[in-house]
Amino acid sequence: MLKVLDSAVPVACWSCSVAHNESILFCPHCSKIQPPPGGDYFSVFGLAPRLDLDLGMLEHEFHRLSRKLHPDRFARALPNEKDWSLADTALLNDAYRTLRDPIRRTGYLLKLQGAEMGEEHSGKDRKDPSRVPADLLEEVFELNMQLEEMRMARKMGQTDPDLQADLTAAKKKFDGLLDAVDQDLRGQWKVWDEGDEAARQSAQKTMVALLDRRRYLSNLVRDVTETLGA
Amino acid sequence: MSEGRVVGIDLGTTNSLVAYMEGAAPVVIPGVDGSNLVPSVVALDPLPEGGGRPTVTVGNSARRALIETPERVIYSVKRLMGRGLSEVQSELKLFPFRLADDVEAGEVPRIQLGELKFTPPEISAYVLRQLKRNAERFFGAPVTQAVITVPAYFNDAQRQATKDAGRMAGLEVLRLVNEPTAAALAYGLDRANVGTIAVYDLGGGTFDISILKLRDGIFEVQSTNGDTHLGGDDIDNLLLTIALDEIYSEHGVDLRAHPSAVQAVRKAAIDAKIKLSTEQAAQFDIELPNGDRYQREIPRAVFEQLIEPVLERTAGPCKQAMTDAGLTPDQIDAVVMVGGSTRIPAVRQLVDDLFQLAPRGKKPHIELHPDEVVALGAAVQADILAGASTATEEMLLLDVTPLSLGIEALGGTVARIIQRNSTIPASATEHFTTGVDGQTNVAIHVVQGERELAADCRSLARFDLKGIPPMSAGLPRIEVRFLIDADGILQVSAREQRSGKAAQIEVKPTYGLSDEQVESMILESFDHAEEDFAKRLLIEARNEAETILSAVERAPESPAWQQLTGEEQAAVSAARDRLAAVKLGEDAAAIRDATLALDQATRRFAELMMEAAVTTAIRGKTMDAAGEEMGDEVTAPHPMAPAEFK
Ligand SMILES: [Zn+2]
């Protein structure tokens, strides 16, 4: 399980001492700001984990909570209130950034469910042939050759219109594959949000694979775009 | 806890301003000389006879020293804030000031100014202290809290250096605000608050572009980009280089060895640049030390061709900011222009093209004074922070971090943990472990930037996690939390999860001053205690009294004096005697009152004097010449203009 924040959760409000539910940002009794709650990103917005979200509602909640939590509202507050405003707002921002983006949101929910995920920021495994989706092996091999050729040509100051056209076509094809992955993902969202436990388990497995494929494809598209645009 | 006013400060490369919220409108606070702009120039007066520290002057008076004693003057110090030795060295090539001889790699570079040495934050602190004093004089009360603006693209070290400068000047910096965002606040104050706006900010030394979404008083920055090495200074330097090269090739005079001559040419270059914003041509006409004259005309077309590469460098960041925000030019509802350099017609044209304004029947917004808009916005943010103001209670600024934060991973690659354009405060939690049995330290290298290799990014700090309980390799689990606060500055905390022990962190900022160093640099001044503030008020009140008394002393010599009635003369004498007596006391308020009373009593006399003076002036000169002199006073000063060297 992903642990969002590590601060100790008090059982009682620091200000009025009335006991409260631990996953709140403000004391229901005296309205004072509380230390970051221990829940997940969804709970920051009062939501149960789900994948199909109303982004308009999410933005509205983000703005409403920002108005109450932001450090600008605590510039002259007590030192502990300042600290919690900072920590709570960071949590709110991290949560909003993650949940409003469909891919990040999916990845986050899968991690929350204990799925093993590839790391978003490790770009170095891109060249690892074992990570190439099986149905794309041949095309990827071909594409990598062309990319290498293109880079060499560039270095020599040459242009190769045929190669350029091939790469542009390849980019279009992989863009299309990306779109297909996104469509499939959306289909799985519905299954996860509405299905029973067994359906969820199977949707999770499918989504982990889809996200892997997606990461691979978008790295590839980025490489092609960079090489074409250089 | 101080509940005094919070002021907004624009600490600029060329000029600095302080502003505050007067009711529902932000207002710039003028200095003693009546000018809203304090040139960001600091000069060291001559060494006092008999020893002691020379006095430091700031602003217009410091600028006057540029020609006479250039080795005792420093300006554009913002370009040096938070920078390392090699960066400062390359920066200084075009400026007349020099690094201190004994600066070592790894420490904050110090600049030699006369016989003293100062770090860039210390220089900025002098400018800030001047602004603080202007505000205190204006309010008649101490000012201890401020919002200071920084270029949006400033990195962690540059932000920290700015905060350090505030602390040295006796200011608690409640918030650093990004300059383009501040400008948006100033513009958004009295407008229908809906839409997407871009702020194009080309100042003296930095360029920023920010794209914001405005809705119901929330100013949400979508993306920001820029170049902290690009601005009007670069344009000045282009013109300067041309002039110096031509003077050398045509007249055989190498001015580069003479700092004061270079200053004079720089001044001519700045004048030419300003003139070219409104005229089709400008002239260089400079007298050389060997008696020759360097004369040259610069047509606007030539100027525009010359500066095109500089202006073109702003296009990339603009496009990137739009891409990052997921927007196309036609989705930008308005573009706000900020900074003195946006007066250049070619800049406005470039912006028009970039955002496709003309085809959409739009124009860049220039309604607010481009030199004042950032300070005005800082005042709005100061008001938001002070709270309890109806004008700003609905407003909230949500800004972003301009640069990605990463950790150096194996092989020198960067693992990005917080992406650029993330809304701040933002945080990331990472886990680290040991590679060797019994290892008790783990070193972490944090960098800022978008490149793949750590060596190509900017080193931010090295953290040493100490006191890890000795365990088998890979067993400790150290959780490190990175948090970028609302000022855009990194905070780090760590703990070992298995033992639950908070790990000690030793932070070595790659560029920057330690807390102790900042403490030791706090400007020796009496800005802190109330009692010292009272002392200063007393000194100022006495100075003012002294000024008016010496004027009244000479009054009977004036013909205007004879025009007063006997009663009026007696009233002046009585008020004068009273002030002279009160001045000896310790009561600043009483001295002020007596000064005011004398001022009142001499009002009619002053009017008569003025009449006489104006008559003489007009009789003595042609109307044209008189008008020209007046003109100097009434036009708004250009940020790079009003140098008054003779
Ligand atoms: Zn409470």
Side-chain angles (χ1 to χ4, degrees):
Chain A
M1 287 286 280
L2 189 79
K3 201 155 181 276
V4 178
L5 281 162
D6 62 358
S7 44
V9 179
V11 287
C13 169
W14 62 271
S15 178
C16 70
S17 304
V18 171
H20 63 67
N21 177 332
E22 61 180 51
S23 64
I24 54 158
L25 296 161
F26 298 94
C27 171
H29 187 69
C30 71
S31 316
K32 291 273 190 198
I33 192 166
Q34 302 296 310
D40 61 44
Y41 287 165
F42 291 96
S43 69
V44 173
F45 291 93
L47 297 166
R50 60 177 288 126
L51 287 166
D52 196 6
L53 286 186
D54 176 347
L55 292 183
M57 186 283 295
L58 197 70
E59 185 187 35
H60 187 266
E61 268 305 282
F62 171 63
H63 285 170
R64 190 185 67 82
L65 289 169
S66 291
R67 280 186 203 279
K68 295 174 75 176
L69 290 173
H70 197 276
D72 284 5
R73 298 278 183 254
F74 293 85
R76 287 174 162 183
L78 300 170
N80 58 351
E81 290 179 286
K82 275 190 190 180
D83 288 350
W84 293 331
S85 148
L86 180 60
D88 285 357
T89 309
L91 170 65
L92 173 67
N93 289 341
D94 297 345
Y96 182 55
R97 186 166 55 250
T98 303
L99 296 190
R100 75 172 163 181
D101 180 274
I103 304 306
R104 281 195 197 147
R105 175 167 74 238
T106 310
Y108 175 75
L109 181 132
L110 291 174
K111 260 191 191 171
L112 215 52
Q113 302 302 318
E116 281 291 319
M117 305 283 295
E119 284 298 312
E120 197 65 59
H121 53 58
S122 55
K124 53 186 185 300
D125 60 6
R126 240 185 287 166
K127 300 281 188 291
D128 178 359
S130 70
R131 295 207 53 253
V132 182
D135 61 312
L136 298 175
L137 255 175
E138 219 163 298
E139 275 162 287
V140 166
F141 183 76
E142 166 92 20
L143 183 70
N144 278 330
M145 296 280 285
Q146 288 172 327
L147 282 174
E148 207 45 48
E149 257 182 83
M150 187 76 175
R151 288 191 194 110
M152 290 297 282
R154 277 272 154 72
K155 237 180 226 166
M156 316 290 285
Q158 296 157 345
T159 51
D160 185 339
D162 289 347
L163 198 54
Q164 180 101 12
D166 285 351
L167 280 173
T168 310
K171 177 174 164 356
K172 211 170 165 192
K173 185 193 152 94
F174 285 105
D175 274 337
L177 288 173
L178 261 181
D179 283 348
V181 170
D182 288 352
Q183 286 231 340
D184 290 352
L185 265 178
R186 273 165 213 278
Q188 295 300 317
W189 285 2
K190 219 174 149 55
V191 176
W192 197 91
D193 285 352
E194 290 164 14
D196 58 14
E197 191 49 38
R200 282 193 166 189
Q201 288 296 335
S202 119
Q204 273 167 218
K205 259 184 128 160
T206 314
M207 285 191 285
V208 168
L210 281 170
L211 283 188
D212 259 359
R213 185 178 171 86
R214 193 184 192 283
R215 192 159 31 246
Y216 189 85
L217 283 170
S218 59
N219 281 337
L220 211 57
V221 167
R222 200 182 62 187
D223 268 5
V224 178
T225 312
E226 272 171 15
T227 309
L228 280 171
Chain B
M1 181 127 305
S2 164
E3 291 295 321
R5 283 180 191 277
V6 187
V7 293
I9 291 177
D10 172 5
L11 182 62
T13 307
T14 317
N15 291 300
S16 297
L17 300 88
V18 57
Y20 81 110
M21 202 71 163
E22 191 177 72
V27 182
V28 178
I29 298 172
V32 194
D33 58 356
S35 166
N36 281 354
L37 303 178
V38 172
S40 307
V41 183
V42 171
L44 204 58
D45 281 353
L47 207 58
E49 278 176 46
R53 247 176 110 87
T55 315
V56 174
T57 58
V58 176
N60 275 315
S61 52
R63 182 147 49 181
R64 266 174 229 120
L66 262 176
I67 293 287
E68 284 150 34
T69 53
E71 73 288 349
R72 303 182 77 83
V73 186
I74 181 164
Y75 57 92
S76 289
V77 75
K78 192 173 178 179
R79 296 185 84 129
L80 311 181
M81 294 284 274
R83 297 200 185 269
L85 182 60
S86 61
E87 293 168 307
V88 168
Q89 273 164 341
S90 70
E91 198 70 47
L92 286 185
K93 280 182 191 136
L94 279 154
F95 292 104
F97 20 94
R98 291 287 158 257
L99 274 172
D101 295 331
D102 56 349
V103 173
E104 283 170 35
E107 59 177 27
V108 173
R110 278 165 297 141
I111 309 297
Q112 189 77 43
L113 201 60
E115 44 288 312
L116 300 180
K117 297 161 192 168
F118 297 94
T119 59
E122 284 174 283
I123 305 281
S124 291
Y126 281 108
V127 177
L128 289 171
R129 190 175 63 176
Q130 182 64 46
L131 297 170
K132 172 172 150 67
R133 288 183 166 175
N134 286 355
E136 290 175 338
R137 200 189 127 81
F138 185 85
F139 297 131
V143 171
T144 57
Q145 294 182 315
V147 165
I148 301 180
T149 61
V150 290
Y153 218 55
F154 252 21
N155 63 31
D156 188 273
Q158 291 168 307
R159 287 167 191 271
Q160 190 60 58
T162 306
K163 264 190 117 165
D164 290 345
R167 205 165 122 211
M168 290 174 196
L171 287 168
E172 184 192 351
V173 182
L174 291 186
R175 179 76 71 251
L176 297 177
V177 184
N178 293 331
E179 287 158 10
T181 329
L185 280 180
Y187 264 95
L189 197 57
D190 51 19
R191 254 149 243 268
N193 288 350
V194 177
T196 301
I197 67 166
V199 183
Y200 180 100
D201 180 356
L202 187 59
T206 56
F207 170 67
D208 281 328
I209 177 79
S210 286
I211 296 175
L212 299 94
K213 208 160 78 179
L214 272 64
R215 195 166 148 189
D216 305 328
I218 295 211
F219 291 63
E220 192 177 351
V221 180
Q222 306 291 302
S223 64
T224 194
N225 211 298
D227 189 333
T228 54
H229 252 102
L230 180 60
D233 284 355
D234 294 289
I235 293 170
D236 302 345
N237 286 337
L238 284 174
L239 287 171
L240 176 66
T241 306
I242 287 187
L244 293 178
D245 287 351
E246 288 185 355
I247 288 168
Y248 183 63
S249 63
E250 290 166 19
H251 300 275
V253 183
D254 186 4
L255 290 186
R256 285 192 169 87
H258 309 283
S260 62
V262 171
Q263 277 312 320
V265 182
R266 178 182 290 275
K267 162 80 168 68
I270 294 169
D271 288 346
K273 174 183 79 174
I274 293 162
K275 197 172 170 200
L276 284 162
S277 283
T278 49
E279 312 279 323
Q280 289 304 321
Q283 289 76 27
F284 273 135
D285 186 355
I286 296 161
E287 193 176 327
L288 303 176
N290 67 358
D292 284 3
R293 293 197 84 83
Y294 167 65
Q295 288 174 310
R296 186 196 208 284
E297 182 171 271
I298 310 146
R300 191 193 275 184
V302 170
F303 174 69
E304 289 183 348
Q305 213 177 355
L306 180 74
I307 66 173
E308 199 194 309
V310 172
L311 303 192
E312 199 47 48
R313 280 171 60 200
T314 69
C318 289
K319 289 175 186 159
Q320 187 63 54
M322 282 190 272
T323 307
D324 286 354
L327 296 168
T328 51
D330 59 293
Q331 291 173 299
I332 308 284
D333 298 313
V335 182
V336 167
M337 303 288 266
V338 185
S341 305
T342 59
R343 286 194 179 82
I344 298 172
V347 172
R348 293 190 181 167
Q349 188 57 49
L350 178 92
V351 167
D352 205 300
D353 294 344
L354 271 173
F355 296 96
Q356 298 164 14
L357 295 178
R360 296 190 285 143
K362 292 177 189 283
K363 278 183 177 172
H365 285 277
I366 50 169
E367 295 90 336
L368 292 179
H369 200 307
D371 299 325
E372 295 186 353
V373 60
V374 168
L376 296 176
V380 175
Q381 178 67 10
D383 201 52
I384 294 173
L385 292 178
S389 154
T390 48
T392 57
E393 67 184 350
E394 289 300 313
M395 294 174 80
L396 180 65
L397 181 57
L398 302 177
D399 220 319
V400 301
T401 179
L403 300 159
S404 298
L405 188 77
I407 302 171
E408 179 169 351
L410 279 176
T413 58
V414 177
R416 234 158 256 157
I417 56 171
I418 297 178
Q419 300 285 342
R420 69 163 184 263
N421 294 324
S422 294
T423 304
I424 52 173
S427 71
T429 304
E430 292 285 314
H431 295 98
F432 297 87
T433 190
T434 50
V436 180
D437 287 349
Q439 187 180 338
T440 55
N441 283 25
V442 171
I444 302 171
H445 185 204
V446 184
V447 298
Q448 225 174 3
E450 312 309 320
R451 304 282 296 275
E452 301 257 331
L453 292 179
D456 296 328
C457 288
R458 193 184 161 83
S459 175
L460 202 156
R462 288 174 192 277
F463 298 98
D464 213 359
L465 299 176
K466 288 183 168 176
I468 300 166
M471 287 183 238
S472 309
L475 203 58
R477 193 173 153 81
I478 306 130
E479 186 180 79
V480 183
R481 190 165 135 81
F482 300 86
L483 187 147
I484 299 178
D485 68 16
D487 293 328
I489 292 174
L490 180 67
Q491 302 181 2
V492 185
S493 57
R495 68 174 191 166
E496 203 290 305
Q497 283 186 307
R498 284 181 214 284
S499 64
K501 255 178 75 174
Q504 287 172 289
I505 305 186
E506 193 171 289
V507 185
K508 282 201 198 83
T510 313
Y511 307 95
L513 299 162
S514 68
D515 261 13
E516 297 74 44
Q517 282 174 307
V518 173
E519 279 305 320
S520 74
M521 287 173 185
I522 286 179
L523 299 187
E524 38 163 303
S525 70
F526 29 81
D527 282 3
H528 290 283
E530 290 280 333
E531 153 200 356
D532 288 333
F533 181 73
K535 222 182 270 175
R536 200 169 90 223
L537 280 185
L538 180 62
I539 292 167
E540 283 180 4
R542 278 181 181 156
N543 287 344
E544 277 171 26
E546 197 61 55
T547 310
I548 192 165
L549 279 174
S550 73
V552 171
E553 203 69 37
R554 293 190 307 271
E557 299 158 21
S558 157
W561 181 256
Q562 304 310 322
Q563 289 175 257
L564 296 180
T565 64
E567 267 169 44
E568 283 169 333
Q569 289 181 352
V572 172
S573 302
R576 179 198 60 205
D577 294 345
R578 168 152 175 72
L579 178 58
V582 173
K583 187 173 78 93
L584 302 173
E586 300 283 321
D587 187 346
I591 299 174
R592 278 246 151 98
D593 289 347
T595 305
L596 269 178
L598 180 56
D599 188 57
Q600 286 289 341
T602 55
R603 187 133 296 177
R604 182 160 146 70
F605 171 65
E607 281 166 12
L608 292 168
M609 289 265 287
M610 280 291 282
E611 277 170 32
V614 171
T615 317
T616 323
I618 294 179
R619 216 185 287 130
K621 291 176 184 171
T622 66
M623 286 301 281
D624 263 3
E628 226 167 70
E629 271 185 9
M630 303 276 288
D632 275 354
E633 293 299 310
V634 291
T635 48
H638 191 288
M640 292 138 220
E644 305 158 336
F645 1 92
K646 282 270 146 40

